[in-house]
Amino acid sequence: MTATTPATAVAIKDGRFIAVGDDFSVMQMTGENTEIIDLKRKCVIPGINDSHTHLIRGGLNYNLELRWDGVPSLADAMRMLKQQVYRTPSPQWVRVIGGWSLHQFAERRMPTLAELNEVAPDTPVFIMHLYDRALLNRAALKAVGYTKDTPAPPGSVIEKDANGEPSGLLLAAPNALILYSTLAKGPKLSYEHQLNSTRHYMRELNRFGITSVIDAGGGFQNYPDDYKIIAELHEKKELTVRIAYNLFTQRPKQEYEDFDNWVKSVKLHQGDDMYRHNGAGEMLIFSAADFEDFLQPRPDLGPDMEVELEKVVRLLVTNRWPFRLHATYNESITRFLDVFEKVNRDIPFDGLHFIIDHAETIDQRNIERVRKLGGGIAIQSRMAFQGEFL
């Protein structure tokens, strides 16, 4: 088949395509036990693979979220929020997390804290906007226990009012840890509801044509505890998305210990075609995290980063573990590649796959360096949401 002559038939055996072509040539492969499915000349599109997502973590919480994706106005969004508040039982929160930007609203603004408190005087509401801020109503501030004496983590701000009390605005300046750590304080779903939530999330991905993903781990996603839900669904043959998962360190300054334990206890690529281990990352060491709030100045990574990163990368390459690393800015990527090239001179990568995640400002020289080492780049749609600020 050529680019201008579409295929009209396919043959599949044991879950794999063995032929793609015209009706006549493909039908020659049929036998007594062949199942023939006539799609009435409808278009067939191969399933989409998302090379960087957080399905496992997202599935645990999907049923807890109110989605504002594509909502045209703030007025519509606030009506949805009010309805969700009415439906949400205590002590659960109403959570609006990702997939939206203030620029999609006709009003070109976010809700005010006063509006949130009016709509939800008693139910905690947590609204996160991109990677730059979160809005909490009074009930949410009470639920998380933030007071005038609560310190903000480095690189973040808990805004205070004229009386020195938290206003409800949290800012990543530029460290988004304050947003994730606050969200993590909310009540979780029960185990059975997490199973249900994950099924719904996979079906939502299927609705967009996604049939396989690489799960990049995530903050507050501990292995193996937070993988029990997805493992049970796999065991029951209820996965509707194929998943390759990476292991993401959770302990600053103990990253080497985490990966050393995993390379000894987790068999590389353990699993099967529906659910398998894929390697390390996207967090390899916390000192290499270049935060992604594009409204803030680019952060400079600390002077000890290279030493810490090299230790972990040497461990992974020695054990032939593929890896991926969150990297937003070209300046950070340059330093990471310096480490990779140094390790490669001593312990050749020799076909070992790695991924640079995000890479919004990477230049042509560093793209070539990634290619020469045999790596790849996983690009997301963050600029679709944040580009209008720049």
mmCIF file of all heavy atoms in Angstrom, residues 307-324:
data_model
loop_
_atom_site.group_PDB
_atom_site.id
_atom_site.type_symbol
_atom_site.label_atom_id
_atom_site.label_comp_id
_atom_site.label_asym_id
_atom_site.label_seq_id
_atom_site.Cartn_x
_atom_site.Cartn_y
_atom_site.Cartn_z
ATOM 1 N N VAL A 307 27.053 14.950 40.650
ATOM 2 C CA VAL A 307 27.597 13.844 41.437
ATOM 3 C C VAL A 307 26.495 12.860 41.807
ATOM 4 O O VAL A 307 26.654 11.630 41.685
ATOM 5 C CB VAL A 307 28.299 14.369 42.702
ATOM 6 C CG1 VAL A 307 28.721 13.205 43.606
ATOM 7 C CG2 VAL A 307 29.510 15.213 42.329
ATOM 8 N N GLU A 308 25.341 13.380 42.248
ATOM 9 C CA GLU A 308 24.235 12.519 42.650
ATOM 10 C C GLU A 308 23.636 11.790 41.455
ATOM 11 O O GLU A 308 23.316 10.595 41.539
ATOM 12 C CB GLU A 308 23.176 13.358 43.365
ATOM 13 C CG GLU A 308 23.670 13.981 44.670
ATOM 14 C CD GLU A 308 22.632 14.871 45.318
ATOM 15 O OE1 GLU A 308 21.527 15.012 44.754
ATOM 16 O OE2 GLU A 308 22.923 15.428 46.385
ATOM 17 N N LEU A 309 23.494 12.497 40.336
ATOM 18 C CA LEU A 309 22.904 11.884 39.148
ATOM 19 C C LEU A 309 23.822 10.808 38.579
ATOM 20 O O LEU A 309 23.364 9.730 38.192
ATOM 21 C CB LEU A 309 22.615 12.951 38.089
ATOM 22 C CG LEU A 309 21.970 12.450 36.788
ATOM 23 C CD1 LEU A 309 20.627 11.800 37.056
ATOM 24 C CD2 LEU A 309 21.819 13.604 35.789
ATOM 25 N N GLU A 310 25.100 11.079 38.526
ATOM 26 C CA GLU A 310 26.038 10.105 37.975
ATOM 27 C C GLU A 310 25.999 8.787 38.751
ATOM 28 O O GLU A 310 26.034 7.702 38.155
ATOM 29 C CB GLU A 310 27.464 10.663 37.996
ATOM 30 C CG GLU A 310 28.494 9.691 37.422
ATOM 31 C CD GLU A 310 29.913 10.240 37.477
ATOM 32 O OE1 GLU A 310 30.097 11.463 37.601
ATOM 33 O OE2 GLU A 310 30.856 9.422 37.387
ATOM 34 N N LYS A 311 25.886 8.872 40.059
ATOM 35 C CA LYS A 311 25.855 7.659 40.880
ATOM 36 C C LYS A 311 24.665 6.781 40.517
ATOM 37 O O LYS A 311 24.790 5.550 40.355
ATOM 38 C CB LYS A 311 25.816 8.046 42.358
ATOM 39 C CG LYS A 311 25.947 6.870 43.314
ATOM 40 C CD LYS A 311 25.961 7.365 44.754
ATOM 41 C CE LYS A 311 26.088 6.180 45.732
ATOM 42 N NZ LYS A 311 26.058 6.649 47.152
ATOM 43 N N VAL A 312 23.496 7.406 40.355
ATOM 44 C CA VAL A 312 22.288 6.645 40.015
ATOM 45 C C VAL A 312 22.355 6.119 38.583
ATOM 46 O O VAL A 312 22.020 4.957 38.311
ATOM 47 C CB VAL A 312 21.029 7.514 40.229
ATOM 48 C CG1 VAL A 312 19.799 6.837 39.629
ATOM 49 C CG2 VAL A 312 20.811 7.784 41.712
ATOM 50 N N VAL A 313 22.798 6.959 37.647
ATOM 51 C CA VAL A 313 22.854 6.537 36.245
ATOM 52 C C VAL A 313 23.842 5.389 36.067
ATOM 53 O O VAL A 313 23.584 4.438 35.322
ATOM 54 C CB VAL A 313 23.193 7.727 35.331
ATOM 55 C CG1 VAL A 313 23.453 7.262 33.892
ATOM 56 C CG2 VAL A 313 22.051 8.742 35.346
ATOM 57 N N ARG A 314 24.979 5.433 36.757
ATOM 58 C CA ARG A 314 25.942 4.327 36.680
ATOM 59 C C ARG A 314 25.304 3.018 37.166
ATOM 60 O O ARG A 314 25.506 1.956 36.570
ATOM 61 C CB ARG A 314 27.191 4.637 37.506
ATOM 62 C CG ARG A 314 28.161 5.591 36.837
ATOM 63 C CD ARG A 314 29.433 5.780 37.646
ATOM 64 N NE ARG A 314 30.331 6.683 36.964
ATOM 65 C CZ ARG A 314 31.183 6.320 36.003
ATOM 66 N NH1 ARG A 314 31.250 5.041 35.643
ATOM 67 N NH2 ARG A 314 31.956 7.203 35.426
ATOM 68 N N LEU A 315 24.547 3.114 38.250
ATOM 69 C CA LEU A 315 23.864 1.927 38.762
ATOM 70 C C LEU A 315 22.908 1.367 37.719
ATOM 71 O O LEU A 315 22.874 0.149 37.471
ATOM 72 C CB LEU A 315 23.111 2.278 40.047
ATOM 73 C CG LEU A 315 22.189 1.191 40.608
ATOM 74 C CD1 LEU A 315 23.004 0.049 41.197
ATOM 75 C CD2 LEU A 315 21.244 1.787 41.662
ATOM 76 N N LEU A 316 22.114 2.240 37.094
ATOM 77 C CA LEU A 316 21.109 1.794 36.137
ATOM 78 C C LEU A 316 21.747 1.223 34.877
ATOM 79 O O LEU A 316 21.328 0.171 34.373
ATOM 80 C CB LEU A 316 20.175 2.957 35.787
ATOM 81 C CG LEU A 316 19.354 3.519 36.958
ATOM 82 C CD1 LEU A 316 18.606 4.773 36.529
ATOM 83 C CD2 LEU A 316 18.395 2.481 37.510
ATOM 84 N N VAL A 317 22.772 1.892 34.355
ATOM 85 C CA VAL A 317 23.414 1.414 33.132
ATOM 86 C C VAL A 317 24.132 0.088 33.394
ATOM 87 O O VAL A 317 24.082 -0.829 32.570
ATOM 88 C CB VAL A 317 24.379 2.473 32.578
ATOM 89 C CG1 VAL A 317 25.110 1.933 31.341
ATOM 90 C CG2 VAL A 317 23.627 3.747 32.205
ATOM 91 N N THR A 318 24.768 -0.021 34.545
ATOM 92 C CA THR A 318 25.444 -1.271 34.894
ATOM 93 C C THR A 318 24.471 -2.440 34.906
ATOM 94 O O THR A 318 24.792 -3.556 34.478
ATOM 95 C CB THR A 318 26.130 -1.145 36.270
ATOM 96 O OG1 THR A 318 27.122 -0.123 36.207
ATOM 97 C CG2 THR A 318 26.774 -2.452 36.688
ATOM 98 N N ASN A 319 23.255 -2.170 35.378
ATOM 99 C CA ASN A 319 22.234 -3.217 35.467
ATOM 100 C C ASN A 319 21.322 -3.262 34.245
ATOM 101 O O ASN A 319 20.332 -3.999 34.250
ATOM 102 C CB ASN A 319 21.414 -3.019 36.747
ATOM 103 C CG ASN A 319 22.189 -3.375 37.999
ATOM 104 O OD1 ASN A 319 22.264 -4.532 38.388
ATOM 105 N ND2 ASN A 319 22.792 -2.373 38.636
ATOM 106 N N ARG A 320 21.661 -2.449 33.215
ATOM 107 C CA ARG A 320 20.934 -2.426 31.943
ATOM 108 C C ARG A 320 19.468 -2.070 32.120
ATOM 109 O O ARG A 320 18.580 -2.613 31.452
ATOM 110 C CB ARG A 320 21.057 -3.764 31.191
ATOM 111 C CG ARG A 320 22.481 -4.237 30.961
ATOM 112 C CD ARG A 320 23.317 -3.218 30.211
ATOM 113 N NE ARG A 320 22.817 -3.006 28.843
ATOM 114 C CZ ARG A 320 23.217 -1.996 28.072
ATOM 115 N NH1 ARG A 320 24.089 -1.109 28.535
ATOM 116 N NH2 ARG A 320 22.743 -1.870 26.852
ATOM 117 N N TRP A 321 19.210 -1.139 33.037
ATOM 118 C CA TRP A 321 17.850 -0.647 33.258
ATOM 119 C C TRP A 321 17.625 0.598 32.400
ATOM 120 O O TRP A 321 18.325 1.597 32.566
ATOM 121 C CB TRP A 321 17.644 -0.283 34.732
ATOM 122 C CG TRP A 321 17.058 -1.371 35.556
ATOM 123 C CD1 TRP A 321 17.395 -2.689 35.557
ATOM 124 C CD2 TRP A 321 16.023 -1.221 36.540
ATOM 125 N NE1 TRP A 321 16.643 -3.382 36.468
ATOM 126 C CE2 TRP A 321 15.787 -2.503 37.093
ATOM 127 C CE3 TRP A 321 15.283 -0.149 37.012
ATOM 128 C CZ2 TRP A 321 14.836 -2.736 38.087
ATOM 129 C CZ3 TRP A 321 14.341 -0.362 37.998
ATOM 130 C CH2 TRP A 321 14.114 -1.649 38.526
ATOM 131 N N PRO A 322 16.662 0.593 31.495
ATOM 132 C CA PRO A 322 16.286 1.837 30.809
ATOM 133 C C PRO A 322 15.825 2.873 31.839
ATOM 134 O O PRO A 322 15.375 2.524 32.937
ATOM 135 C CB PRO A 322 15.130 1.410 29.905
ATOM 136 C CG PRO A 322 15.249 -0.076 29.794
ATOM 137 C CD PRO A 322 15.828 -0.541 31.093
ATOM 138 N N PHE A 323 15.940 4.134 31.467
ATOM 139 C CA PHE A 323 15.537 5.178 32.417
ATOM 140 C C PHE A 323 15.000 6.390 31.670
ATOM 141 O O PHE A 323 15.198 6.544 30.464
ATOM 142 C CB PHE A 323 16.712 5.576 33.322
ATOM 143 C CG PHE A 323 17.903 6.150 32.605
ATOM 144 C CD1 PHE A 323 18.014 7.512 32.355
ATOM 145 C CD2 PHE A 323 18.930 5.312 32.170
ATOM 146 C CE1 PHE A 323 19.111 8.032 31.691
ATOM 147 C CE2 PHE A 323 20.034 5.823 31.507
ATOM 148 C CZ PHE A 323 20.130 7.194 31.267
ATOM 149 N N ARG A 324 14.298 7.237 32.415
ATOM 150 C CA ARG A 324 13.782 8.489 31.875
ATOM 151 C C ARG A 324 13.977 9.576 32.925
ATOM 152 O O ARG A 324 14.029 9.288 34.130
ATOM 153 C CB ARG A 324 12.318 8.365 31.476
ATOM 154 C CG ARG A 324 11.372 8.008 32.599
ATOM 155 C CD ARG A 324 10.015 7.577 32.067
ATOM 156 N NE ARG A 324 9.439 8.556 31.159
ATOM 157 C CZ ARG A 324 8.527 8.257 30.240
ATOM 158 N NH1 ARG A 324 8.107 7.002 30.106
ATOM 159 N NH2 ARG A 324 8.029 9.185 29.444
#
